Amino acid sequence: MSNLPTASRPAPPQVAALEYRGIRYEQDMQSHKFGGDQPGGYLVAIKPNTGERLWMLKVYKIENYDDQGLDIIGRYFKSMRLIPEQNAIEIENEAGGRYLVDLEKHTSTLVFEPSARLDKNSSDSPPPPPPPPPKP
């Protein structure tokens, strides 16, 4: 039996790079070497034939709790899907957030925030109107 330490979280999901119009797009696992300020959440565009980095984009922000004495926990891509008709990539992260990256403008737009999910006691229909005030 070994007393070696184990990882406190599983390794980030393996997400395949996408190639589109002669550019390779992949999760940037080395963003800290290129000015990144958080573990995960970056997309990089690369020339496949030379490996030259064309641009890097922070797709989403990861909350930093250093002031509370907690380590920042990485949040990595779970999936990437090319949407050619929009010249975009949809990225889902490990927390379930989905983002649309515009490949021309190099911008990211939130599509779905997991905290916006309805809680288990609610339904898809809107809540009923409040009851009328009591009559005097």
Side-chain angles (χ1 to χ4, degrees), residues 79-83 88-92 98-100 111:
S79 66
M80 292 194 319
R81 181 175 66 101
L82 180 64
I83 306 175
I89 295 175
E90 182 182 67
I91 295 173
E92 182 178 0
R98 287 196 316 262
Y99 304 84
L100 193 65
V111 175

Side-chain angles (χ1 to χ4, degrees), residues 20-110:
Y20 178 63
R21 295 184 176 172
I23 305 294
R24 186 175 71 235
Y25 300 94
E26 61 187 51
Q27 177 170 212
D28 193 347
M29 301 301 280
Q30 302 296 318
S31 60
H32 61 282
K33 293 180 180 178
F34 299 94
D37 62 352
Q38 63 184 28
Y42 286 93
L43 178 72
V44 64
I46 299 171
K47 278 188 180 180
N49 56 342
T50 65
E52 176 189 354
R53 296 170 62 92
L54 301 173
W55 52 268
M56 178 175 83
L57 173 69
K58 183 190 286 189
V59 177
Y60 49 84
K61 181 179 179 358
I62 300 172
E63 293 301 319
N64 185 337
Y65 298 103
D66 282 346
D67 59 339
Q68 298 174 20
L70 301 172
D71 290 334
I72 187 169
I73 297 173
R75 185 174 301 149
Y76 300 96
F77 297 178
K78 180 178 174 183
S79 66
M80 292 194 319
R81 181 175 66 101
L82 180 64
I83 306 175
E85 60 276 5
Q86 294 182 26
N87 197 26
I89 295 175
E90 182 182 67
I91 295 173
E92 182 178 0
N93 68 21
E94 293 176 295
R98 287 196 316 262
Y99 304 84
L100 193 65
V101 174
D102 184 310
L103 298 176
E104 287 180 20
K105 297 178 183 172
H106 308 168
T107 58
S108 174
T109 304
L110 176 66

